[in-house]
Amino acid sequence: MKPTEKPQRRGSEAFSYRGSKQGILRRRTGTSILHCDDVSLPELVERYGTPLYVYSASLIASRVKAFQQAFKKVPHTLCYSVKANSNLSILRLLSEMGCGFDIVSGGELERVLRVDKRAGKRVVFSGVGKTYPEMEAAVKAGILLFNVESESELAILAQCATRLKRKVSVALRVNPDVSAKTHPYIATGLHQHKFGIPIREARGLYARTMAAKYLQIAGVSVHIGSQITDLSSFGQAMERVGELVEQLRSDGHTIRYVDAGGGLGIDYGERELPHFVEYVREYAGALLRPLRALEVHLLLEPGRSIVGPAGALLTCVLYRKMNRNKKFLIVDAGMTDLVRPALYDAYHEIVPVEVWDDSSSTEIVDVVGPVCETGDFFARDRKLQMVKEHDLLAILDTGAYGMALTSNYNSRLRPAEVLVDGKSAKLVRRRETISDLIGPERIGKM
């Protein structure tokens, strides 16, 4: 394969091919090796094994800066969506850049507070099923805002705040009945979804909330889904939110915040999106046009768009196999390590970690894992450069909803995670051990 024919990444600047080095790795001349920033991925595999998640701190930082620049003319807080990737080192990096956090559980709140106790004041708490203990912990942490999703939840939060005698800022998450034009499992803004309060009913519930002594109405929240690339959906949702804000203010409510949610999609290699800086600028325009006259503090909840392209899952080819005319690459990662293809039929670009300049052979293969499920696959009928057993593959754009959705099904151990910044690499989560897996269990007689 000629150098100009090497696989080219469209979506992520963090992962690129470079010429091989002679030395202890003893790789032959003519090999190009995939790097994360300035770190060779085979070197990381030699140190930490596979499956292995690798993230680029520099790309995460550059994407945060792109958001901050795009929204610099309006008061705003970037509340990173912790569910996308909750690694403590990534949360620390984001906190140091001034980010707030969008959480959906008490566990996520604890992660944020472990990184920086002061960050609690930059937290918004979303989610349809908040428990009383979770609410209590969030009230004690002095979080910025509760995004309330039902009248019943509002009543429980009022009880909690009253018992603690703490004023609590709330926004109602409204359901604008806007299509996000995304996968049905990650769409949240239509009336048939479990999320939010129908926007037509919100005004009445805001009025009833005024009777709660310790609840302070502070904003309106909306979130219509995830992996949205049609920016008009965001604009349509904001138009409806803007109309509601004007109505609420005319009713005497003080509306300081509009939480626009997250959901901005990324390029997984199937379609070509604008360069990220321009893309975020267009996104900002779609959100801000309907809100310009309202003078609100905008809360944003990006997750995937910040960390998605910054991550790759490295895996080793265990076996090559043929069933009649069907070719399989069986790798050591499985749906327990990355469930998105099995859950959403999601596309992830897959590339060899090493490319030989004198080989241009390709083949049509299924890339599958070792888990005992037919749904344990990463790609079906995918055209890939031919690789051998023991070669390494990189599954790209896995920084979001990769490690966060891992499981121990088949009693498999969760992978390690490494954070790269320029020339340095740091282990930020060790590989699980059998002791980690079975430690909480007890053998007891009935």
Side-chain angles (χ1 to χ4, degrees):
M1 177 176 283
K2 297 178 181 178
T4 55
E5 296 173 343
K6 296 168 195 168
Q8 295 296 314
R9 290 273 22 251
R10 290 185 299 170
S12 172
E13 314 94 85
F15 296 90
S16 60
Y17 287 96
R18 303 186 186 185
S20 64
K21 296 179 180 178
Q22 299 300 310
I24 60 170
L25 294 178
R26 301 183 185 278
R27 306 195 183 280
R28 70 179 188 177
T29 303
T31 304
S32 293
I33 298 174
L34 194 62
H35 285 62
C36 178
D37 291 359
D38 297 321
V39 177
S40 161
L41 296 185
E43 291 183 19
L44 292 180
V45 169
E46 290 190 4
R47 291 166 62 186
Y48 303 114
T50 55
L52 179 68
Y53 273 104
V54 180
Y55 311 116
S56 166
S58 62
L59 184 59
I60 292 171
S62 73
R63 290 196 157 218
V64 169
K65 290 175 184 176
F67 271 101
Q68 292 170 336
Q69 181 68 20
F71 288 92
K72 68 178 182 179
K73 293 183 179 180
V74 297
H76 72 276
T77 303
L78 211 60
C79 296
Y80 168 75
S81 182
V82 176
K83 65 180 177 286
N85 188 319
S86 58
N87 184 276
L88 294 177
S89 291
I90 290 176
L91 298 185
R92 180 180 293 279
L93 169 64
L94 294 166
S95 182
E96 290 173 349
M97 296 189 71
C99 290
F101 298 95
D102 163 50
I103 65 166
V104 293
S105 74
E108 290 185 352
L109 174 62
E110 182 59 29
R111 283 180 172 272
V112 170
L113 297 179
R114 288 286 180 94
V115 166
D116 182 358
K117 288 187 177 180
R118 297 168 299 177
K121 300 187 184 304
R122 303 193 303 272
V123 165
V124 296
F125 196 170
S126 305
V128 299
K130 305 177 189 73
T131 66
Y132 189 96
E134 289 176 325
M135 291 179 183
E136 188 174 49
V139 171
K140 289 179 177 178
I143 70 167
L144 177 66
L145 192 68
F146 280 87
N147 286 333
V148 175
E149 304 218 21
S150 68
E151 188 165 6
S152 296
E153 179 193 331
L154 196 64
I156 298 299
L157 180 59
Q159 292 175 20
C160 180
T162 300
R163 191 180 71 79
L164 295 174
K165 293 183 169 53
R166 299 272 193 96
K167 283 279 189 180
V168 173
S169 293
V170 300
L172 299 188
R173 175 175 172 178
V174 297
N175 188 317
D177 204 22
V178 168
S179 173
K181 303 180 182 70
T182 188
H183 191 284
Y185 287 5
I186 51 178
T188 62
L190 294 173
H191 71 274
Q192 64 262 38
H193 298 141
K194 68 179 180 179
F195 299 96
I197 295 158
I199 197 165
R200 293 179 180 178
E201 300 174 16
R203 200 171 174 184
L205 187 52
Y206 271 101
R208 295 193 290 278
T209 303
M210 294 182 77
K213 180 178 178 180
Y214 287 95
L215 297 188
Q216 196 166 46
I217 295 169
V220 177
S221 172
V222 68
H223 181 78
I224 59 173
S226 187
Q227 187 49 23
I228 303 168
T229 55
D230 184 340
L231 302 183
S232 66
S233 297
F234 293 112
Q236 188 178 354
M238 284 302 101
E239 286 175 5
R240 297 185 183 183
V241 167
E243 291 170 1
L244 177 61
V245 169
E246 290 179 338
Q247 292 170 353
L248 293 174
R249 285 178 171 174
S250 69
D251 293 340
H253 299 294
T254 300
I255 303 298
R256 292 178 288 140
Y257 300 107
V258 166
D259 187 336
L264 184 64
I266 64 172
D267 177 9
Y268 280 104
E270 295 174 292
R271 64 176 69 87
E272 192 159 4
L273 296 174
H275 184 273
F276 190 69
V277 171
E278 177 59 31
Y279 184 44
V280 176
R281 191 179 297 124
E282 292 175 9
Y283 167 68
L287 288 183
L288 294 175
R289 273 188 290 274
L291 303 178
R292 285 201 185 279
L294 297 179
E295 296 183 352
V296 292
H297 186 112
L298 189 63
L299 303 176
L300 302 160
E301 300 174 1
R304 183 197 314 263
S305 55
I306 288 177
V307 295
L313 175 60
L314 307 186
T315 184
C316 179
V317 178
L318 297 175
Y319 307 109
R320 294 181 56 90
K321 180 177 179 179
M322 283 195 68
N323 284 350
R324 295 190 178 178
N325 295 324
K326 187 79 170 176
K327 290 183 180 180
F328 296 91
L329 297 181
I330 301 172
V331 299
D332 64 354
M335 62 187 292
T336 53
D337 307 301
L338 178 66
V339 76
R340 294 190 73 255
L343 185 60
Y344 305 124
D345 197 25
Y347 180 96
H348 283 271
E349 193 174 351
I350 302 175
V351 296
V353 170
E354 298 183 56
V355 176
W356 286 271
D357 291 348
D358 58 357
S359 173
S360 58
S361 300
T362 60
E363 59 184 342
I364 305 297
V365 296
D366 282 16
V367 181
V368 301
V371 176
C372 290
E373 298 284 346
T374 303
D376 180 31
F377 67 91
F378 297 118
R380 287 174 166 159
D381 296 321
R382 184 77 63 85
K383 184 179 180 180
L384 296 179
Q385 181 186 322
M386 190 173 290
V387 294
K388 308 182 298 299
E389 293 178 358
H390 310 302
D391 282 355
L392 299 173
L393 296 175
I395 306 173
L396 300 172
D397 302 307
T398 53
Y401 306 107
M403 188 67 183
L405 286 169
T406 55
S407 77
N408 291 122
Y409 183 48
N410 283 190
S411 289
R412 285 172 54 81
L413 306 177
R414 286 183 173 89
E417 294 175 283
V418 173
L419 184 63
V420 173
D421 191 2
K423 296 180 179 180
S424 66
K426 177 183 178 183
L427 183 69
V428 293
R429 180 183 172 118
R430 63 170 173 80
R431 190 175 305 282
E432 275 188 339
T433 66
I434 289 294
S435 296
D436 295 326
L437 179 68
I438 65 176
E441 299 182 33
R442 297 293 180 267
I443 301 174
K445 295 182 179 179
M446 298 301 290

